[in-house]
Amino acid sequence: MNGISRFFWFCSGAHLTTLEKHPTEHNKYLGIGATIFFTGLFAALSGGYAMYFVFKGGDFAWLFALFFGIIWGLAIFNMDRYIVSSINKNATTNKQIWQATPRILLAIMIGMVISRPLELKIFDKEIKERLNVSYLNGQRSKIDTLNKAFDKKYTIEIGKLNDAKAERDSLAAAIKSDRQKLNFEIFGNKTTETSGVMGYGPYAKRKEAELKQREQNLDTLTKDVRQMEKFVDGRKQFDGLMTEKLYTTKQLDSLSNIAGFADRNWALGQLSFNVDGTRDTNTAIAVTFIGLLFIFFECLPVFVKLMSSRGPYDHAVENIETTQVHLSDKDKEFELEVADGIHETRVSTEIEKRKEQIRNRARRDLNSEES
């Protein structure tokens, strides 16, 4: 237990030698250290999961995810440890709040970053369903766009084909109606357009000859329609319309499984809205609540440090820092006095040296004059 406690004390950024002398402060810094440690652990899981999606499908995706997760977790751990340990409990309340404000903002940003990948995993099923809808709508829109472009490109040909089909259908309907009237005439059914006399008379023969001619015209028109349809289908095949089809359920599942981080992040944002565009309040609250939970967890060490009262450990740290500052000042004074003494010695030595040089020069000048 002592080893675990010391580890969490280290995580809190406390001075271990000083903290050990104040047992009443042990639990407080143990809790702060544990919070910082688990925040780093969640960051490692979050970063590793995000990196796994970046390299998903590769042979060493898990290795990259593990490596990046460890690096990211250690970075967040070190940053949190610095944020908490840098808050000075010996300062006034206003100054502590001023010191903590930028650190809280930074903690909020860190909480948002580490919470997103974990949210992606929590709502994995809902994200895949939303991606399936998005991919299906995208494919449908693509097909519609291709069809509109094709219709615009071959407006004349498609217009002729539609006119020929309309003429064919109209001729086929007229032939069917006239064939029925001919049968009424042959079998003696009395109508406004038949005589009511049974038999295959001149009128019936004339009508049958007309029907045969019109049926030949219908066959010719049908062949023309088939040729035009063959041409249009060939153009569709050439432009790629025949190969574009709506995705099957299996294809949609495969696409959603290999979706990248950006697509999944977009889908997570869309979970707050229904497919028809209305607000999905329940899901929006759930996503927001999970994000706020991680943000609060990231800010918790700072809040705990701010809310905790000034204890004997903080007083001891203040004394140590005061002593160190005083010693530093004394060292400065010592070094200054030594520097001043050295400087004075150097100056006096240099003065004597130059005086001696002047005396020697004067002696040489005197000797030269006498000689």
Side-chain angles (χ1 to χ4, degrees):
M1 181 62 185
N2 186 50
I4 297 177
S5 298
R6 290 181 63 84
F7 172 73
F8 286 135
W9 292 344
F10 165 78
C11 294
S12 69
H15 188 263
L16 301 185
T17 305
T18 306
L19 183 60
E20 287 179 342
K21 299 177 182 179
H22 305 283
T24 57
E25 298 282 82
H26 289 181
N27 289 334
K28 179 174 71 174
Y29 284 91
L30 189 147
I32 295 175
T35 305
I36 294 175
F37 170 76
F38 285 110
T39 302
L41 180 62
F42 281 132
L45 294 174
S46 175
Y49 183 73
M51 188 56 60
Y52 178 76
F53 268 100
V54 174
F55 294 98
K56 190 175 182 181
D59 296 333
F60 300 99
W62 65 271
L63 185 60
F64 286 114
L66 179 63
F67 177 76
F68 181 80
I70 293 174
I71 297 299
W72 180 246
L74 290 175
I76 299 301
F77 168 79
N78 182 67
M79 190 176 299
D80 283 343
R81 185 171 179 268
Y82 166 74
I83 289 174
V84 174
S85 62
S86 60
I87 297 177
N88 185 9
K89 291 300 297 179
N90 297 310
T92 62
T93 302
N94 292 334
K95 188 173 182 180
Q96 289 183 44
I97 295 175
W98 178 253
Q99 289 176 341
T101 299
R103 292 162 175 80
I104 291 175
L105 295 176
L106 181 60
I108 291 174
M109 294 179 61
I110 294 174
M112 294 173 63
V113 170
I114 69 174
S115 66
R116 202 61 173 178
L118 296 178
E119 290 175 357
L120 293 176
K121 184 59 179 177
I122 293 172
F123 294 98
D124 182 66
K125 182 179 179 182
E126 291 78 7
I127 288 173
K128 287 183 178 180
E129 292 178 355
R130 186 54 58 93
L131 285 175
N132 288 346
V133 174
S134 175
Y135 292 147
L136 188 61
N137 290 338
Q139 183 68 3
R140 185 180 290 113
S141 176
K142 180 181 179 181
I143 293 175
D144 292 341
T145 301
L146 289 175
N147 285 329
K148 290 179 181 179
F150 182 84
D151 292 343
K152 185 177 181 180
K153 184 177 180 180
Y154 297 99
T155 303
I156 298 176
E157 290 80 356
I158 294 176
K160 291 181 179 179
L161 175 60
N162 292 333
D163 293 341
K165 285 183 178 180
E167 184 180 357
R168 180 198 62 186
D169 295 339
S170 176
L171 182 59
I175 291 174
K176 182 178 180 181
S177 177
D178 291 344
R179 175 64 65 181
Q180 186 179 23
K181 293 176 183 178
L182 177 60
N183 291 333
F184 287 165
E185 178 67 26
I186 294 174
F187 294 104
N189 294 331
K190 178 65 177 177
T191 64
T192 56
E193 297 181 1
T194 58
S195 62
V197 179
M198 182 181 296
Y200 190 68
Y203 178 77
K205 292 179 179 179
R206 187 174 67 253
K207 284 292 183 181
E208 185 173 15
E210 292 177 356
L211 283 175
K212 288 182 179 180
Q213 182 62 41
R214 295 172 68 185
E215 286 176 347
Q216 290 178 358
N217 294 337
L218 178 61
D219 292 338
T220 302
L221 187 58
T222 301
K223 291 180 180 179
D224 294 339
V225 169
R226 289 175 180 173
Q227 289 179 353
M228 286 187 283
E229 286 179 339
K230 185 177 180 180
F231 171 79
V232 172
D233 290 341
R235 293 295 88 192
K236 286 184 177 181
Q237 185 72 32
F238 179 79
D239 290 350
L241 268 71
M242 304 299 289
T243 57
E244 293 293 340
K245 299 179 181 179
L246 291 177
Y247 294 129
T248 63
T249 303
K250 185 177 181 180
Q251 288 175 324
L252 289 173
D253 292 338
S254 177
L255 288 173
S256 61
N257 286 332
I258 63 174
F261 186 84
D263 287 345
R264 296 176 64 83
N265 185 56
W266 171 86
L268 178 60
Q270 293 299 311
L271 291 182
S272 300
F273 301 91
N274 294 313
V275 179
D276 57 2
T278 58
R279 184 79 172 176
D280 188 350
T281 306
N282 293 331
T283 305
I285 291 176
V287 174
T288 304
F289 176 77
I290 292 175
L292 291 177
L293 180 63
F294 282 101
I295 293 174
F296 176 77
F297 190 77
E298 175 64 29
C299 298
L300 188 59
V302 180
F303 291 151
V304 171
K305 191 70 179 289
L306 284 176
M307 291 185 297
S308 62
S309 59
R310 184 171 181 266
Y313 167 78
D314 301 305
H315 185 72
V317 169
E318 182 182 20
N319 293 337
I320 293 173
E321 291 177 347
T322 303
T323 303
Q324 290 176 344
V325 170
H326 181 72
L327 289 174
S328 177
D329 291 338
K330 291 300 181 182
D331 290 340
K332 177 183 177 181
E333 293 176 1
F334 170 78
E335 294 295 336
L336 288 175
E337 291 179 3
V338 171
D340 291 339
I342 293 174
H343 179 70
E344 291 175 359
T345 302
R346 291 175 61 188
V347 169
S348 60
T349 303
E350 186 65 21
I351 290 173
E352 293 298 329
K353 180 180 178 181
R354 292 188 182 184
K355 285 181 178 180
E356 184 64 26
Q357 290 176 352
I358 293 172
R359 292 190 191 99
N360 293 334
R361 189 180 302 113
R363 291 191 192 99
R364 286 195 300 270
D365 293 341
L366 182 61
N367 293 332
S368 62
E369 290 178 358
E370 291 176 352
S371 61

